[in-house]
PDB file of all heavy atoms in Angstrom:
ATOM      1  N   ASP G   1       0.819  -1.213   0.000  1.00  0.00           N
ATOM      2  CA  ASP G   1       0.000   0.000   0.000  1.00  0.00           C
ATOM      3  C   ASP G   1       0.855   1.266   0.000  1.00  0.00           C
ATOM      4  O   ASP G   1       0.473   2.278  -0.600  1.00  0.00           O
ATOM      5  CB  ASP G   1      -0.928   0.010   1.209  1.00  0.00           C
ATOM      6  CG  ASP G   1      -2.064  -0.983   1.095  1.00  0.00           C
ATOM      7  OD1 ASP G   1      -2.347  -1.464  -0.021  1.00  0.00           O
ATOM      8  OD2 ASP G   1      -2.683  -1.285   2.135  1.00  0.00           O
ATOM      9  N   SER G   2       2.002   1.210   0.652  1.00  0.00           N
ATOM     10  CA  SER G   2       2.844   2.387   0.779  1.00  0.00           C
ATOM     11  C   SER G   2       3.453   2.847  -0.543  1.00  0.00           C
ATOM     12  O   SER G   2       3.915   3.985  -0.636  1.00  0.00           O
ATOM     13  CB  SER G   2       3.962   2.126   1.789  1.00  0.00           C
ATOM     14  OG  SER G   2       4.751   1.016   1.389  1.00  0.00           O
ATOM     15  N   VAL G   3       3.462   1.983  -1.552  1.00  0.00           N
ATOM     16  CA  VAL G   3       4.079   2.339  -2.828  1.00  0.00           C
ATOM     17  C   VAL G   3       3.103   2.323  -3.994  1.00  0.00           C
ATOM     18  O   VAL G   3       3.492   2.686  -5.116  1.00  0.00           O
ATOM     19  CB  VAL G   3       5.288   1.434  -3.148  1.00  0.00           C
ATOM     20  CG1 VAL G   3       6.274   1.433  -1.992  1.00  0.00           C
ATOM     21  CG2 VAL G   3       4.843   0.016  -3.491  1.00  0.00           C
ATOM     22  N   LYS G   4       1.861   1.942  -3.766  1.00  0.00           N
ATOM     23  CA  LYS G   4       0.880   1.903  -4.853  1.00  0.00           C
ATOM     24  C   LYS G   4       0.732   3.276  -5.494  1.00  0.00           C
ATOM     25  O   LYS G   4       0.628   4.288  -4.811  1.00  0.00           O
ATOM     26  CB  LYS G   4      -0.472   1.424  -4.331  1.00  0.00           C
ATOM     27  CG  LYS G   4      -0.540  -0.065  -4.074  1.00  0.00           C
ATOM     28  CD  LYS G   4      -1.911  -0.473  -3.558  1.00  0.00           C
ATOM     29  CE  LYS G   4      -1.963  -1.965  -3.302  1.00  0.00           C
ATOM     30  NZ  LYS G   4      -3.250  -2.381  -2.703  1.00  0.00           N
ATOM     31  N   GLY G   5       0.736   3.280  -6.805  1.00  0.00           N
ATOM     32  CA  GLY G   5       0.630   4.525  -7.549  1.00  0.00           C
ATOM     33  C   GLY G   5       1.946   5.206  -7.793  1.00  0.00           C
ATOM     34  O   GLY G   5       2.006   6.147  -8.599  1.00  0.00           O
ATOM     35  N   ARG G   6       2.998   4.775  -7.117  1.00  0.00           N
ATOM     36  CA  ARG G   6       4.318   5.376  -7.286  1.00  0.00           C
ATOM     37  C   ARG G   6       5.332   4.424  -7.903  1.00  0.00           C
ATOM     38  O   ARG G   6       6.239   4.865  -8.615  1.00  0.00           O
ATOM     39  CB  ARG G   6       4.863   5.864  -5.943  1.00  0.00           C
ATOM     40  CG  ARG G   6       3.990   6.905  -5.265  1.00  0.00           C
ATOM     41  CD  ARG G   6       4.693   7.499  -4.041  1.00  0.00           C
ATOM     42  NE  ARG G   6       4.961   6.489  -3.023  1.00  0.00           N
ATOM     43  CZ  ARG G   6       6.174   6.161  -2.606  1.00  0.00           C
ATOM     44  NH1 ARG G   6       7.251   6.766  -3.106  1.00  0.00           N
ATOM     45  NH2 ARG G   6       6.336   5.236  -1.664  1.00  0.00           N
ATOM     46  N   PHE G   7       5.206   3.132  -7.594  1.00  0.00           N
ATOM     47  CA  PHE G   7       6.146   2.133  -8.093  1.00  0.00           C
ATOM     48  C   PHE G   7       5.457   1.255  -9.128  1.00  0.00           C
ATOM     49  O   PHE G   7       4.252   1.008  -9.043  1.00  0.00           O
ATOM     50  CB  PHE G   7       6.637   1.228  -6.965  1.00  0.00           C
ATOM     51  CG  PHE G   7       7.562   1.865  -5.968  1.00  0.00           C
ATOM     52  CD1 PHE G   7       7.738   3.233  -5.893  1.00  0.00           C
ATOM     53  CD2 PHE G   7       8.260   1.058  -5.081  1.00  0.00           C
ATOM     54  CE1 PHE G   7       8.589   3.803  -4.961  1.00  0.00           C
ATOM     55  CE2 PHE G   7       9.116   1.613  -4.144  1.00  0.00           C
ATOM     56  CZ  PHE G   7       9.284   2.982  -4.079  1.00  0.00           C
ATOM     57  N   SER G   8       6.230   0.754 -10.070  1.00  0.00           N
ATOM     58  CA  SER G   8       5.750  -0.268 -10.978  1.00  0.00           C
ATOM     59  C   SER G   8       6.803  -1.353 -11.116  1.00  0.00           C
ATOM     60  O   SER G   8       7.995  -1.112 -10.901  1.00  0.00           O
ATOM     61  CB  SER G   8       5.393   0.316 -12.347  1.00  0.00           C
ATOM     62  OG  SER G   8       6.543   0.821 -13.003  1.00  0.00           O
ATOM     63  N   ILE G   9       6.363  -2.556 -11.455  1.00  0.00           N
ATOM     64  CA  ILE G   9       7.262  -3.687 -11.629  1.00  0.00           C
ATOM     65  C   ILE G   9       6.981  -4.310 -12.987  1.00  0.00           C
ATOM     66  O   ILE G   9       5.832  -4.398 -13.414  1.00  0.00           O
ATOM     67  CB  ILE G   9       7.108  -4.705 -10.477  1.00  0.00           C
ATOM     68  CG1 ILE G   9       8.178  -5.791 -10.552  1.00  0.00           C
ATOM     69  CG2 ILE G   9       5.709  -5.303 -10.438  1.00  0.00           C
ATOM     70  CD1 ILE G   9       8.237  -6.670  -9.298  1.00  0.00           C
ATOM     71  N   SER G  10       8.036  -4.714 -13.664  1.00  0.00           N
ATOM     72  CA  SER G  10       7.901  -5.321 -14.976  1.00  0.00           C
ATOM     73  C   SER G  10       9.005  -6.345 -15.164  1.00  0.00           C
ATOM     74  O   SER G  10       9.980  -6.376 -14.407  1.00  0.00           O
ATOM     75  CB  SER G  10       7.961  -4.255 -16.084  1.00  0.00           C
ATOM     76  OG  SER G  10       9.200  -3.580 -16.064  1.00  0.00           O
ATOM     77  N   ARG G  11       8.852  -7.186 -16.174  1.00  0.00           N
ATOM     78  CA  ARG G  11       9.880  -8.180 -16.431  1.00  0.00           C
ATOM     79  C   ARG G  11      10.162  -8.287 -17.914  1.00  0.00           C
ATOM     80  O   ARG G  11       9.275  -8.113 -18.761  1.00  0.00           O
ATOM     81  CB  ARG G  11       9.489  -9.545 -15.838  1.00  0.00           C
ATOM     82  CG  ARG G  11       8.265 -10.206 -16.442  1.00  0.00           C
ATOM     83  CD  ARG G  11       7.827 -11.405 -15.570  1.00  0.00           C
ATOM     84  NE  ARG G  11       8.873 -12.410 -15.467  1.00  0.00           N
ATOM     85  CZ  ARG G  11       8.992 -13.287 -14.473  1.00  0.00           C
ATOM     86  NH1 ARG G  11       8.116 -13.277 -13.473  1.00  0.00           N
ATOM     87  NH2 ARG G  11       9.978 -14.167 -14.472  1.00  0.00           N
ATOM     88  N   ASP G  12      11.417  -8.584 -18.217  1.00  0.00           N
ATOM     89  CA  ASP G  12      11.878  -8.838 -19.568  1.00  0.00           C
ATOM     90  C   ASP G  12      12.516 -10.220 -19.537  1.00  0.00           C
ATOM     91  O   ASP G  12      13.684 -10.368 -19.178  1.00  0.00           O
ATOM     92  CB  ASP G  12      12.866  -7.772 -20.023  1.00  0.00           C
ATOM     93  CG  ASP G  12      13.305  -7.947 -21.461  1.00  0.00           C
ATOM     94  OD1 ASP G  12      13.097  -9.029 -22.040  1.00  0.00           O
ATOM     95  OD2 ASP G  12      13.875  -6.992 -22.020  1.00  0.00           O
ATOM     96  N   ASN G  13      11.740 -11.228 -19.893  1.00  0.00           N
ATOM     97  CA  ASN G  13      12.227 -12.601 -19.776  1.00  0.00           C
ATOM     98  C   ASN G  13      13.375 -12.892 -20.734  1.00  0.00           C
ATOM     99  O   ASN G  13      14.207 -13.760 -20.457  1.00  0.00           O
ATOM    100  CB  ASN G  13      11.081 -13.582 -20.001  1.00  0.00           C
ATOM    101  CG  ASN G  13      10.093 -13.593 -18.856  1.00  0.00           C
ATOM    102  OD1 ASN G  13      10.440 -13.297 -17.716  1.00  0.00           O
ATOM    103  ND2 ASN G  13       8.851 -13.934 -19.152  1.00  0.00           N
ATOM    104  N   ALA G  14      13.432 -12.193 -21.861  1.00  0.00           N
ATOM    105  CA  ALA G  14      14.533 -12.382 -22.797  1.00  0.00           C
ATOM    106  C   ALA G  14      15.862 -11.966 -22.186  1.00  0.00           C
ATOM    107  O   ALA G  14      16.915 -12.444 -22.610  1.00  0.00           O
ATOM    108  CB  ALA G  14      14.277 -11.614 -24.090  1.00  0.00           C
ATOM    109  N   LYS G  15      15.812 -11.063 -21.214  1.00  0.00           N
ATOM    110  CA  LYS G  15      17.020 -10.606 -20.535  1.00  0.00           C
ATOM    111  C   LYS G  15      17.167 -11.172 -19.132  1.00  0.00           C
ATOM    112  O   LYS G  15      18.100 -10.797 -18.413  1.00  0.00           O
ATOM    113  CB  LYS G  15      17.039  -9.080 -20.467  1.00  0.00           C
ATOM    114  CG  LYS G  15      17.133  -8.402 -21.816  1.00  0.00           C
ATOM    115  CD  LYS G  15      17.219  -6.896 -21.656  1.00  0.00           C
ATOM    116  CE  LYS G  15      17.402  -6.223 -23.000  1.00  0.00           C
ATOM    117  NZ  LYS G  15      17.505  -4.751 -22.868  1.00  0.00           N
ATOM    118  N   ASN G  16      16.267 -12.059 -18.727  1.00  0.00           N
ATOM    119  CA  ASN G  16      16.274 -12.602 -17.363  1.00  0.00           C
ATOM    120  C   ASN G  16      16.323 -11.482 -16.323  1.00  0.00           C
ATOM    121  O   ASN G  16      17.053 -11.561 -15.331  1.00  0.00           O
ATOM    122  CB  ASN G  16      17.455 -13.552 -17.159  1.00  0.00           C
ATOM    123  CG  ASN G  16      17.162 -14.975 -17.587  1.00  0.00           C
ATOM    124  OD1 ASN G  16      16.295 -15.232 -18.419  1.00  0.00           O
ATOM    125  ND2 ASN G  16      17.905 -15.923 -17.018  1.00  0.00           N
ATOM    126  N   THR G  17      15.519 -10.447 -16.537  1.00  0.00           N
ATOM    127  CA  THR G  17      15.596  -9.260 -15.708  1.00  0.00           C
ATOM    128  C   THR G  17      14.204  -8.783 -15.316  1.00  0.00           C
ATOM    129  O   THR G  17      13.277  -8.802 -16.131  1.00  0.00           O
ATOM    130  CB  THR G  17      16.348  -8.135 -16.433  1.00  0.00           C
ATOM    131  OG1 THR G  17      17.681  -8.576 -16.734  1.00  0.00           O
ATOM    132  CG2 THR G  17      16.437  -6.887 -15.567  1.00  0.00           C
ATOM    133  N   VAL G  18      14.082  -8.346 -14.060  1.00  0.00           N
ATOM    134  CA  VAL G  18      12.899  -7.673 -13.548  1.00  0.00           C
ATOM    135  C   VAL G  18      13.292  -6.269 -13.129  1.00  0.00           C
ATOM    136  O   VAL G  18      14.376  -6.061 -12.568  1.00  0.00           O
ATOM    137  CB  VAL G  18      12.272  -8.456 -12.380  1.00  0.00           C
ATOM    138  CG1 VAL G  18      11.303  -7.590 -11.585  1.00  0.00           C
ATOM    139  CG2 VAL G  18      11.555  -9.691 -12.908  1.00  0.00           C
ATOM    140  N   TYR G  19      12.412  -5.314 -13.391  1.00  0.00           N
ATOM    141  CA  TYR G  19      12.662  -3.922 -13.077  1.00  0.00           C
ATOM    142  C   TYR G  19      11.672  -3.426 -12.037  1.00  0.00           C
ATOM    143  O   TYR G  19      10.503  -3.809 -12.036  1.00  0.00           O
ATOM    144  CB  TYR G  19      12.535  -3.055 -14.325  1.00  0.00           C
ATOM    145  CG  TYR G  19      13.437  -3.485 -15.447  1.00  0.00           C
ATOM    146  CD1 TYR G  19      12.959  -4.263 -16.495  1.00  0.00           C
ATOM    147  CD2 TYR G  19      14.780  -3.128 -15.453  1.00  0.00           C
ATOM    148  CE1 TYR G  19      13.790  -4.669 -17.523  1.00  0.00           C
ATOM    149  CE2 TYR G  19      15.617  -3.533 -16.482  1.00  0.00           C
ATOM    150  CZ  TYR G  19      15.118  -4.302 -17.511  1.00  0.00           C
ATOM    151  OH  TYR G  19      15.945  -4.706 -18.527  1.00  0.00           O
ATOM    152  N   LEU G  20      12.137  -2.551 -11.168  1.00  0.00           N
ATOM    153  CA  LEU G  20      11.290  -1.821 -10.247  1.00  0.00           C
ATOM    154  C   LEU G  20      11.467  -0.342 -10.535  1.00  0.00           C
ATOM    155  O   LEU G  20      12.528   0.225 -10.254  1.00  0.00           O
ATOM    156  CB  LEU G  20      11.648  -2.133  -8.793  1.00  0.00           C
ATOM    157  CG  LEU G  20      10.755  -1.478  -7.738  1.00  0.00           C
ATOM    158  CD1 LEU G  20       9.351  -2.076  -7.778  1.00  0.00           C
ATOM    159  CD2 LEU G  20      11.365  -1.620  -6.345  1.00  0.00           C
ATOM    160  N   GLN G  21      10.447   0.267 -11.126  1.00  0.00           N
ATOM    161  CA  GLN G  21      10.470   1.689 -11.430  1.00  0.00           C
ATOM    162  C   GLN G  21       9.859   2.437 -10.256  1.00  0.00           C
ATOM    163  O   GLN G  21       8.694   2.210  -9.921  1.00  0.00           O
ATOM    164  CB  GLN G  21       9.696   1.976 -12.712  1.00  0.00           C
ATOM    165  CG  GLN G  21       9.662   3.443 -13.098  1.00  0.00           C
ATOM    166  CD  GLN G  21      11.014   3.978 -13.476  1.00  0.00           C
ATOM    167  OE1 GLN G  21      11.699   3.410 -14.314  1.00  0.00           O
ATOM    168  NE2 GLN G  21      11.422   5.074 -12.849  1.00  0.00           N
ATOM    169  N   MET G  22      10.622   3.322  -9.651  1.00  0.00           N
ATOM    170  CA  MET G  22      10.213   4.052  -8.470  1.00  0.00           C
ATOM    171  C   MET G  22      10.144   5.534  -8.800  1.00  0.00           C
ATOM    172  O   MET G  22      11.094   6.096  -9.348  1.00  0.00           O
ATOM    173  CB  MET G  22      11.192   3.823  -7.319  1.00  0.00           C
ATOM    174  CG  MET G  22      11.469   2.356  -7.016  1.00  0.00           C
ATOM    175  SD  MET G  22      12.564   2.133  -5.585  1.00  0.00           S
ATOM    176  CE  MET G  22      14.064   2.877  -6.239  1.00  0.00           C
ATOM    177  N   SER G  23       9.040   6.175  -8.451  1.00  0.00           N
ATOM    178  CA  SER G  23       8.868   7.600  -8.674  1.00  0.00           C
ATOM    179  C   SER G  23       8.284   8.244  -7.428  1.00  0.00           C
ATOM    180  O   SER G  23       7.850   7.562  -6.508  1.00  0.00           O
ATOM    181  CB  SER G  23       7.986   7.856  -9.895  1.00  0.00           C
ATOM    182  OG  SER G  23       6.688   7.333  -9.703  1.00  0.00           O
ATOM    183  N   SER G  24       8.279   9.576  -7.427  1.00  0.00           N
ATOM    184  CA  SER G  24       7.779  10.348  -6.286  1.00  0.00           C
ATOM    185  C   SER G  24       8.376   9.855  -4.979  1.00  0.00           C
ATOM    186  O   SER G  24       7.683   9.675  -3.976  1.00  0.00           O
ATOM    187  CB  SER G  24       6.253  10.298  -6.242  1.00  0.00           C
ATOM    188  OG  SER G  24       5.694  10.828  -7.426  1.00  0.00           O
ATOM    189  N   LEU G  25       9.676   9.663  -4.984  1.00  0.00           N
ATOM    190  CA  LEU G  25      10.347   9.067  -3.838  1.00  0.00           C
ATOM    191  C   LEU G  25      10.371  10.022  -2.652  1.00  0.00           C
ATOM    192  O   LEU G  25      10.489  11.243  -2.808  1.00  0.00           O
ATOM    193  CB  LEU G  25      11.759   8.663  -4.216  1.00  0.00           C
ATOM    194  CG  LEU G  25      11.838   7.435  -5.128  1.00  0.00           C
ATOM    195  CD1 LEU G  25      13.210   7.338  -5.780  1.00  0.00           C
ATOM    196  CD2 LEU G  25      11.535   6.165  -4.335  1.00  0.00           C
ATOM    197  N   THR G  26      10.258   9.439  -1.463  1.00  0.00           N
ATOM    198  CA  THR G  26      10.352  10.178  -0.207  1.00  0.00           C
ATOM    199  C   THR G  26      11.402   9.537   0.678  1.00  0.00           C
ATOM    200  O   THR G  26      11.900   8.442   0.400  1.00  0.00           O
ATOM    201  CB  THR G  26       9.008  10.210   0.534  1.00  0.00           C
ATOM    202  OG1 THR G  26       8.790   8.954   1.193  1.00  0.00           O
ATOM    203  CG2 THR G  26       7.855  10.502  -0.416  1.00  0.00           C
ATOM    204  N   ALA G  27      11.723  10.206   1.774  1.00  0.00           N
ATOM    205  CA  ALA G  27      12.698   9.672   2.710  1.00  0.00           C
ATOM    206  C   ALA G  27      12.271   8.321   3.266  1.00  0.00           C
ATOM    207  O   ALA G  27      13.121   7.506   3.640  1.00  0.00           O
ATOM    208  CB  ALA G  27      12.935  10.658   3.847  1.00  0.00           C
TER     209      ALA G  27
END
């Protein structure tokens, strides 16, 4: 709940990689 609307997660299976995109970051 603390990150909903600010973070997104995605995966690129061809690269064996998952990404966490973080925005509107706070302390």
Side-chain angles (χ1 to χ4, degrees):
D1 288 343
S2 59
V3 307
K4 284 180 180 176
R6 300 189 298 119
F7 289 13
S8 65
I9 188 169
S10 61
R11 65 192 300 156
D12 184 344
N13 289 333
K15 295 183 176 181
N16 274 24
T17 300
V18 163
Y19 304 99
L20 184 68
Q21 180 66 52
M22 308 183 295
S23 62
S24 300
L25 287 164
T26 78

